[in-house]
Amino acid sequence: MEAQAMATVKEALAALYHHPDDSIRTAADRWLQEFQHTLDAWQVADSLLHDERSNLETLIFCSQTLRSKVQRDFEELPSGAFRSLQDSLYALLKKFNKGPAKVRTQICIAIAALAVHVPVEDWGAGGIVNWLSDEMKAHPEFIPGFLELLIVLPQEISSYKIAARPERRRQVESDLCTSANVAISLLTACMAIDQLKEQVLEGFSSWLRFCHGISASELASHPLVHMALSSLNSDQFLEAAVNVTSELIHATVSYGSGTTAEQLPLIQILVPRIMGLNELLKDPSKDEEDVKAIARLYADMGESYVDLIAAGSDDSIQIVNALLEVTSHQEFDICSMTFNFWHRLKRNLIRRESYVSYGSEVLIEAERNRRLLIFRPKFESLVSLVSSRVEYPEDYHTFSEEDCRDFRHVRYAVSDVLLDATDVLGGDSTLKVLSTKLAQAYGSCNTKQNSKWQPVEAALFCIQAIAKSVSLEEREILPQVMSLLPCLPHNEQLLQTVCSTVGSFSKWIDAAPAESSILPPLVDILNKGMSTSEDTAAAASVAFKYICEDCRRKFAGSLDGLFQIYHIAISGVGGYKVSSEDSLHLVEALSVVITTLPPESARTALELICQPVINPLQELIQQGDQILQQIPARQLTVHIDRLSSIFSNVKHPAVVAEAVNRYWPILKTIFDQRAWDTRTMESVCRSCKFAVRTCGRAMGMTIGAMLEEIQTLYQQHKQSCFLYLSSEVIKIFGSDPSCADYLTNLIQILFNHTVQLLRTIQDFTARPDIADDCYLLASRCIRYCPNLFVPTEMFQRLVDCAMAGITIQHREACKSILSFLSDVFDLPNSSDGGNYREFINTIVLQRGATITRIMIAALTGALPSGRLEEVSYVLLSLSRAFGENMLNWARESINLIPPQALTDAERLRFLNIISDAASGSSLHTITDRFGEISDVCRRNKTVQDLVQSALRPHDLTFTVVPQQLS
């Protein structure tokens, strides 16, 4: 049987790597993956690894298989199998001592995983590290393989690929800390072997985080430390030496490492050696990867010692100067390594917590000002250095999509650094530095010899990036910048940034003195932007929106000009290149200006802004029902979305309500003729939602007609957006007694139809949008009109329906269902919820055992671990509302979980968490504790399947027979 299985594995591997048919290769890959999950994989992989005839492909696959089996499936083996597995892996480690390296590494990882699973004593006195020490002394010929195991061991301990319990992980980490001295001694002994030097450095960096028992003064004089620091000047060992040095830096500032004074002996060794590498950064002959390694070391030093650096000593300034050197490097990947340092330094300099040791406010302020004064020139240099990073290169027009994405990333990163600088220098001072760059660039650009626009654009980009930090009272630089904008060449990229700059400073433009007449030429620029290209039109449209939002009162007397711009953009004639998506910015721009008008003027203006939107819809409707049903959704939604923007942004409830009432027949026709079309219905419902939100009770009879329409159409076409629109109606009108009859009828009809659609988990999975919006609506009903909902039979049916859908994998639908359940459990304890306690108790007491079983299944694997907080909150709410009952339900469910998955101690801990939840523990604490139990039950697929098979979350009829803990 085993021989046949071995032959089949070899055949599958041959097919995977060498068969010309893709379908055969795919089938072979699928079979091999399934094979790795079988019990037979243990023996077959082990035998093939020991077989001298196995080729490299077989060895690699089998070593990976054995490694993954040890990591995740160790519990499949009988209790006495450890010794034979250890012996086999040890023999394989010696066999592959000299390679292949990929196979040896997998064997080492497997042995490390085995060490996580079994207690120290199974390895003999002192655990795996002492065992390894004995073997290295007894068999020095196998030292390369043993050394790799020593390197891998601390790296793999924290791997969540290993199916170990949390308390076991903590114990292994403690054991490694105890064994660290032995490991360091082994590495020290291997220093003398030149060909092992790189491995020794790798091992030292791996073990450093476990060296809690070695003091900083001991490390400062340790030969391994001196070897690492001396290797920083070696091309051959630089990368490994940098890794060690970084770990040493981290060790001096890690949690529990002691005070700075205690770490000084090591810090005083590290910093001068690192600072001595400064010249290598400038060495053009240095390999780029080596320069990156050194730059990373400087960045690590800066970030780790930022508290010391922020004190502003002479030595600190030398470090800052070195980091400025790194920031000035021409390669952005290297330059950007320092960005987090500058952010952390900024934060340290400005936050009050950095100065609390100075006592009084006077001393705190004095020290803060002293430090800011010291670092001011450094941040000014930083601004100058990074501002040139955002220049468009000469070959930008050849950029691929990925190149464009990378360039945008560079700009975002530089913008963040500039904002950090404004926190230290102030926005106005930063602007002054950038304006100098702009003036220089414009001076160069404006000559016959040089017409480069890129430096001008880069300076402007940086200026608009800090716009929010510049004071509205700034009168020295910005007036000059604004007067310069109309004079700049109309290159497309430059014009795009000019438009963005206008929009970014909209609040400053509004605050500028009226006599400066700054606005008209800027509007002309935006007009130019809208007619140049789609990209400039997009920037100009957004800027126009900001200008209208912030300068709306200045536009109140210029409506004719605004309407002209609006009509040209919306109509698509007249030379503008504004896309339909960007036209929404112009709709919003004009809408906010209309908001500033008195009601009568607003009424007229609203009609004017709606005409270019409504007229095309009327024309389409007049072509007849058949045409209306056949046209692409886009021809309707482009206009309806504009109507949504108008209803959302014109803040005149009565005026908008009149418009809604006037245009309702058009919307109703679209509802009736396109109810089958999800895209159109979502657009119309969004428009109605904003109308309801803006108008509220001013909508009058139109709201009744709207509700009647959606409840009729929902039964026919099952569009989830009807539910979402209804939830908005409930939010606005739920507490209005005059709407009670309308709303009661609405929710009864909608929910009655929905629960018929959602009977099983398969139904929920097939209709996640319906589930999401249904339970969003149900939660809104609990919050805004519980009197119309909770006492009804429909409420009970929705709870039953929710139980069927708790384990839906769709994130938003799942969250809506869980939120509904927690709202149900929380309601009786809310300020006005006492009236509903009897209804809730009646429903939940009948279903509590089943709900608890499903929720525990969700916690232990039926839902992704990303839902942990939501699931924990439902269990917390249920515990607080039903106390002892909940504890009994939980006990019954937890007792279903097999002992292979949870020990008796873990069951008791699980129950204690639920008991503490009922007693008032915080959600954060409960979630963390539930997280550990969840990890135990998900530690591998076998255990997770066992737990889910026992809890049966999809079986609503399954009843638990109460058991006692054994």
Side-chain angles (χ1 to χ4, degrees), residues 465-585:
I466 65 163
K468 290 182 179 178
S469 301
V470 177
S471 68
L472 298 182
E473 296 76 28
E474 205 287 326
R475 294 291 180 267
E476 180 186 353
I477 305 297
L478 278 181
Q480 298 175 42
V481 173
M482 294 301 160
S483 64
L484 179 65
L485 296 183
C487 307
L488 296 175
H490 289 159
N491 168 274
E492 184 179 327
Q493 281 72 27
L494 178 54
L495 181 57
Q496 192 175 335
T497 302
V498 168
C499 291
S500 296
T501 303
V502 172
S504 298
F505 285 100
S506 56
K507 286 183 168 59
W508 181 89
I509 293 168
D510 182 53
E515 61 271 14
S516 61
S517 300
I518 201 170
L519 197 51
L522 298 180
V523 173
D524 290 341
I525 291 174
L526 299 185
N527 261 318
K528 178 68 177 174
M530 282 190 271
S531 58
T532 299
S533 72
E534 281 199 14
D535 288 340
T536 59
S541 301
V542 173
F544 200 78
K545 179 185 77 168
Y546 290 144
I547 286 288
C548 287
E549 281 179 356
D550 294 321
C551 309
R552 62 183 76 179
R553 301 195 185 282
K554 293 188 175 183
F555 281 115
S558 311
L559 282 178
D560 289 344
L562 291 182
F563 276 117
Q564 184 180 3
I565 294 171
Y566 172 76
H567 279 275
I568 293 172
I570 297 301
S571 65
V573 295
Y576 281 1
K577 298 181 179 178
V578 180
S579 69
S580 54
E581 287 80 9
D582 292 322
S583 71
L584 292 173
H585 297 306

Side-chain angles (χ1 to χ4, degrees), residues 613-624:
V613 176
I614 290 297
N615 289 345
L617 291 174
Q618 285 179 319
E619 290 169 7
L620 289 169
I621 289 170
Q622 287 165 4
Q623 293 178 39

Side-chain angles (χ1 to χ4, degrees), residues 241-463:
V242 164
N243 290 338
V244 172
T245 310
S246 286
E247 288 297 333
L248 287 166
I249 291 170
H250 298 158
T252 62
V253 293
S254 63
Y255 178 76
S257 61
T259 64
T260 302
E262 290 172 331
Q263 295 300 320
L264 269 180
L266 184 54
I267 295 173
Q268 289 170 342
I269 291 284
L270 295 175
V271 172
R273 294 302 292 264
I274 297 169
M275 293 295 288
L277 303 173
N278 198 24
E279 290 304 313
L280 297 179
L281 285 170
K282 308 172 195 174
D283 186 350
S285 66
K286 265 293 179 193
D287 181 77
E288 185 179 327
E289 292 304 312
D290 289 346
V291 176
K292 281 184 180 179
I294 296 168
R296 174 165 62 85
L297 194 53
Y298 272 94
D300 274 352
M301 176 176 66
E303 290 174 39
S304 299
Y305 299 145
V306 70
D307 292 341
L308 294 173
I309 292 169
S313 68
D314 291 344
D315 289 341
S316 298
I317 298 305
Q318 287 184 29
I319 296 174
V320 173
N321 287 338
L323 284 157
L324 279 171
E325 288 278 356
V326 179
T327 308
S328 69
H329 198 278
Q330 61 185 4
E331 289 294 329
F332 183 77
D333 286 348
I334 293 173
C335 154
S336 60
M337 288 180 183
T338 65
F339 287 1
N340 197 45
F341 162 73
W342 297 113
H343 172 73
R344 295 182 67 173
L345 178 59
K346 175 269 300 191
R347 195 173 58 185
N348 190 291
L349 291 172
I350 66 171
R351 66 178 182 177
R352 192 181 183 282
E353 291 85 348
S354 303
Y355 304 95
V356 289
S357 62
Y358 287 86
S360 72
E361 290 299 323
V362 173
L363 292 175
I364 285 174
E365 191 61 23
E367 177 61 16
R368 185 174 182 274
N369 291 336
R370 182 190 74 81
R371 293 187 183 187
L372 289 173
L373 191 63
I374 289 172
F375 286 101
R376 189 177 188 85
K378 305 307 173 186
F379 276 88
E380 287 174 348
S381 298
L382 175 67
V383 170
S384 287
L385 285 172
V386 299
S387 60
S388 60
R389 299 287 175 176
V390 298
E391 276 191 30
Y392 274 94
E394 292 291 343
D395 61 346
Y396 74 93
H397 54 279
T398 66
F399 273 12
S400 66
E401 187 176 334
E402 186 178 355
D403 292 334
C404 291
R405 189 167 56 248
D406 290 343
F407 186 60
R408 286 195 299 271
H409 168 73
V410 168
R411 292 193 145 201
Y412 295 147
V414 168
S415 296
D416 288 341
V417 175
L418 291 171
L419 288 173
D420 284 334
T422 65
D423 288 336
V424 175
L425 302 173
D428 293 3
S429 296
T430 309
L431 175 66
K432 201 164 188 175
V433 176
L434 293 171
S435 70
T436 303
K437 304 279 283 189
L438 177 62
Q440 292 169 350
Y442 180 66
S444 301
C445 171
N446 215 19
T447 64
K448 291 181 181 179
Q449 294 82 12
N450 182 9
S451 58
K452 281 186 67 175
W453 54 269
Q454 286 95 332
V456 176
E457 190 278 337
L460 268 183
F461 174 84
C462 294
I463 286 172

Side-chain angles (χ1 to χ4, degrees), residues 91 134 160 242 287 388 465 578 619 649 653 690 729 762 823 896:
D134 293 341
Y160 278 87
V242 164
D287 181 77
S388 60
V578 180
E619 290 169 7
N649 292 290
F690 286 124
V729 171
Q762 290 77 17
D823 287 343
L896 292 171

